[in-house]
Amino acid sequence: MEDIRPSPEEFLARIKQEETKAGRLKIFLGYAAGVGKTYAMLDAAQEAKKLGLDVVVGYIEPHPRPETAALLEGLELIPTRKINYKGKTFEELDIDAVLERKPEIVLIDELAHTNVPTMRHVKRFGDVEELLAKGIHIYTTVNIQHIESLHDLVKEITGVKVRERIPDYLIDHAAQIKLVDIEPDDLIQRLKEGKIYPLKQVEKAIDYFFQKQNLVALREIALRRTADTIFHQKTRKNDSFETKIHVEEHVLVGISSSPTNAKVIRSAARLAQAFHGKFTALYVQKMDRNERNEASSERLQQHIKLTEQLGGHVVIVQEDDIAAALANYSQISGVTKLVLGRTSMKKKWWRSNSKISDRLNDFVPNLAIHIVPDQENEPLRFPEVRTQLKFEWMDMLKMLTVFSLASFISLSFFSIGVSESNIITIYILGVLVLATWTTGWMVSIISSLVSVLIFNFLFIEPRFSFEAYHRDYFITFLIMFLSGLITSSLTKKVKEQAIVAVRKSYRMEVLLETNRKFKY
């Protein structure tokens, strides 16, 4: 059997790393309020003090339970910071007092708490990270429903939208996680005895969050999340063990500015975590336009930030076809699972497989696709055409020049007996030239119409008027207009694709140059 134990040098490197790195975070994790997280944390603090460690209490949420309050005896309490905000007084962790005292271990309850806006960190876990960076060890508590990736899952189970959440990396990178567990029946009994909430709130709590089926489901999630974290930490410490037990999974999720895309991202993060694999989010940026409005751009940035908080890597590509972009990236990057949100768009009559999932099945039939139910999809919006139909007076001058030249050439050919059908192609050629020379679609539409009118005025009997005696000329004018419009549209498209190709080439050149600099 191959010996995969670390070498003495590796052991020494790990010991030195342990000595020089920041403080260690120990999390007491529960599946609901009242399971005994704070009690377990205080009990561990008393044990640490008996071992001669310097332990202080930074912040403990007030508890009516006498057995919990009794465990505070003998522990040094750092006074909380009282802050007046909007006419109310709040008590918060005094991080400066903790830094000045600099104990070995500090107890900080309620990791997911949102600080008063006047404090330097928005969330309490920001205070914890600062203290860890200063080499202070932290004991803290949190419930499973406050973990970011589990937000949607908890909401579906309990119907409660938890607003205070912490990034998953705090759980994944914690030095130790202690699951504080209790039977759901025992927890409900404690609730009825008034040991969790005041008696006047008990009945409402039992009817909503503290239903037995909810607690059983939350308990299962907490057990599974703790087991996944322990396994992830074990494999991260021993890379050779990780490579032998499984082939790494790669989960890809499509990212967008949709209001409900966050739910899809969290589902993909949980899937990647369950399989202990890579997590990537792909944003497909349309080549012909940017985000529709400021709100969409802001939501997109929030989703990118959420992906990074959940340990994902964000990739941005430029492509018109979203399904093709997802399929191409999946094949190139070895994606094993793709997560998409269920779209509310109906199939279009001119395209049999208009849904992204249907088209992905055609592109990559062997790729596992996970569809996240989403009943709150973004309402259908019509594409923004204002920027595409912009008009510039310089384009009008160019059109005047082109059609003047085209008319001069056509009259010359007409005088020597060239047929009208050949003269039509001269004006279509003028429309084609304008499509490559001008900007915006408005000129293409106007030029197609103007070419028909000029041809009618100069060459159709009676000449030098906009009348036409023969009824067949209506079909001629219509075909001429449509030919000019389609030709100019295709030329515009080719022009835009050429510009995008140049941008892609430049970006690739920059990436290759950056890669060379990193190597050397």
Side-chain angles (χ1 to χ4, degrees):
M1 175 186 282
E2 183 183 355
D3 186 5
I4 60 173
R5 291 177 299 177
S7 65
E9 290 77 11
E10 291 174 335
F11 268 122
L12 182 60
R14 289 183 183 180
I15 292 172
K16 288 182 178 179
Q17 184 180 10
E18 292 290 333
E19 291 176 349
T20 57
K21 72 178 183 179
R24 296 163 61 87
L25 178 64
K26 182 174 182 178
I27 296 178
F28 293 82
L29 181 67
Y31 67 87
V35 297
K37 302 182 302 297
T38 305
Y39 183 93
M41 180 176 67
L42 290 171
D43 186 57
Q46 291 287 0
E47 293 295 327
K49 185 179 179 183
K50 290 178 182 178
L51 294 175
L53 298 176
D54 184 14
V55 183
V56 301
V57 176
Y59 180 87
I60 291 292
E61 194 72 20
H63 291 84
R65 298 180 289 276
E67 60 271 20
T68 301
L71 286 174
L72 284 169
E73 295 181 6
L75 295 176
E76 179 184 347
L77 274 69
I78 294 181
T80 56
R81 182 181 174 188
K82 293 180 174 56
I83 300 175
N84 292 319
Y85 182 72
K86 292 186 176 181
K88 296 182 180 179
T89 301
F90 299 88
E91 292 191 14
E92 299 285 1
L93 169 70
D94 193 340
I95 185 173
D96 293 321
V98 175
L99 289 172
E100 184 178 356
R101 172 65 174 76
K102 200 168 185 180
E104 291 182 75
I105 301 173
V106 60
L107 277 58
I108 302 176
D109 211 1
E110 300 293 339
L111 181 62
H113 170 74
T114 301
N115 289 331
V116 175
T118 56
M119 295 187 67
R120 66 171 172 263
H121 296 293
V122 178
K123 299 284 188 177
R124 182 165 289 165
F125 69 77
D127 300 331
V128 168
E129 289 179 318
E130 182 176 345
L131 294 173
L132 290 171
K134 299 295 184 180
I136 300 174
H137 303 317
I138 305 287
Y139 286 3
T140 189
T141 64
V142 71
N143 283 327
I144 197 72
Q145 63 263 30
H146 295 289
I147 299 176
E148 181 67 59
S149 65
L150 301 176
H151 168 69
D152 299 301
L153 191 58
V154 172
K155 182 182 176 183
E156 290 175 4
I157 294 171
T158 65
V160 177
K161 185 175 182 180
V162 180
R163 299 189 180 277
E164 293 184 324
R165 304 190 292 272
I166 64 171
D168 283 53
Y169 67 78
L170 288 170
I171 301 293
D172 294 331
H173 296 159
Q176 187 177 356
I177 292 181
K178 181 177 177 58
L179 180 63
V180 184
D181 191 34
I182 185 175
E183 288 290 337
D185 289 333
D186 295 338
L187 181 60
I188 293 175
Q189 183 60 35
R190 297 187 66 187
L191 178 66
K192 292 178 178 179
E193 294 173 356
K195 294 182 177 180
I196 301 176
Y197 298 132
L199 291 174
K200 61 181 180 180
Q201 300 179 10
V202 170
E203 185 176 351
K204 184 178 179 181
I206 293 177
D207 291 338
Y208 290 94
F209 191 90
F210 280 81
Q211 295 181 21
K212 185 175 180 180
Q213 62 268 26
N214 292 351
L215 298 179
V216 171
L218 291 173
R219 187 189 188 198
E220 181 183 349
I221 294 172
L223 291 168
R224 190 186 311 127
R225 184 65 173 86
T226 305
D228 287 343
T229 302
I230 293 172
F231 181 82
H232 178 69
Q233 291 175 343
K234 181 179 179 181
T235 54
R236 190 173 67 240
K237 291 179 181 178
N238 193 340
D239 296 333
S240 57
F241 174 71
E242 181 180 11
T243 56
K244 287 182 179 295
I245 58 172
H246 70 283
V247 177
E248 186 177 37
E249 296 278 357
H250 188 180
V251 178
L252 177 67
V253 62
I255 190 172
S256 70
S257 60
S258 169
T260 55
N261 188 239
K263 178 180 179 180
V264 183
I265 294 172
R266 294 189 190 101
S267 299
R270 290 198 301 271
L271 186 64
Q273 188 179 73
F275 286 97
H276 311 287
K278 291 173 60 179
F279 173 38
T280 304
L282 183 70
Y283 172 59
V284 183
Q285 185 179 37
K286 293 287 186 178
M287 296 189 297
D288 55 347
R289 64 181 184 273
N290 294 324
E291 284 298 313
R292 283 184 288 267
N293 51 50
E294 185 177 348
S296 296
S297 300
E298 185 177 350
R299 281 198 304 267
L300 177 62
Q301 293 302 319
Q302 291 174 353
H303 296 161
I304 291 175
K305 184 178 180 181
L306 174 62
T307 301
E308 293 172 345
Q309 284 183 349
L310 295 173
H313 174 60
V314 179
V315 177
I316 301 176
V317 297
Q318 284 189 330
E319 183 64 60
D320 273 334
D321 192 334
I322 297 177
L326 290 169
N328 290 334
Y329 185 85
S330 298
Q331 292 176 326
I332 293 172
S333 304
V335 173
T336 56
K337 290 176 176 59
L338 176 62
V339 181
L340 297 173
R342 179 182 295 161
T343 175
S344 61
M345 293 177 60
K346 297 181 180 179
K347 288 187 175 181
K348 299 178 176 63
W349 60 269
W350 65 85
R351 183 187 291 173
S352 58
N353 289 335
S354 60
K355 287 188 176 181
I356 293 178
S357 57
D358 294 335
R359 301 188 61 223
L360 281 168
N361 284 327
D362 296 335
F363 290 141
V364 278
N366 296 324
L367 181 63
I369 301 177
H370 298 259
I371 306 297
V372 178
D374 185 4
Q375 301 300 325
E376 303 175 2
N377 232 308
E378 187 176 13
L380 181 64
R381 295 182 181 178
F382 293 100
E384 180 66 47
V385 297
R386 186 179 301 171
T387 56
Q388 300 180 17
L389 297 179
K390 64 181 180 179
F391 178 80
E392 295 183 7
W393 287 105
M394 182 57 68
D395 291 339
M396 186 63 71
L397 180 60
K398 293 176 182 178
M399 184 172 62
L400 179 63
T401 303
V402 170
F403 281 135
S404 297
L405 181 60
S407 298
F408 175 77
I409 296 173
S410 298
L411 288 171
S412 301
F413 285 171
F414 185 76
S415 64
I416 60 177
V418 177
S419 64
E420 296 172 357
S421 59
N422 289 323
I423 292 176
I424 289 174
T425 60
I426 296 176
Y427 283 99
I428 293 178
L429 178 62
V431 174
L432 182 63
V433 171
L434 281 171
T436 58
W437 195 15
T438 58
T439 60
W441 292 87
M442 181 65 76
V443 176
S444 297
I445 298 173
I446 295 175
S447 62
S448 299
L449 180 60
V450 170
S451 65
V452 173
L453 295 175
I454 294 176
F455 176 75
N456 181 26
F457 184 80
L458 294 179
F459 301 102
I460 301 301
E461 296 292 342
R463 296 180 64 190
F464 308 114
S465 71
F466 292 104
E467 298 180 4
Y469 288 158
H470 204 289
R471 61 184 179 183
D472 291 345
Y473 278 123
F474 175 75
I475 303 299
T476 303
F477 296 155
L478 180 62
I479 294 175
M480 184 178 175
F481 173 76
L482 293 177
S483 299
L485 185 61
I486 293 173
T487 303
S488 62
S489 299
L490 292 175
T491 305
K492 287 285 186 186
K493 197 71 174 178
V494 172
K495 182 180 177 182
E496 291 175 357
Q497 290 177 348
I499 294 173
V500 172
V502 172
R503 291 176 181 172
K504 286 184 176 180
S505 177
Y506 174 73
R507 289 176 62 187
M508 184 62 67
E509 184 179 348
V510 171
L511 290 173
L512 290 174
E513 183 64 27
T514 305
N515 188 38
R516 292 192 197 100
K517 290 181 178 179
F518 278 133
K519 285 184 178 180
Y520 300 104

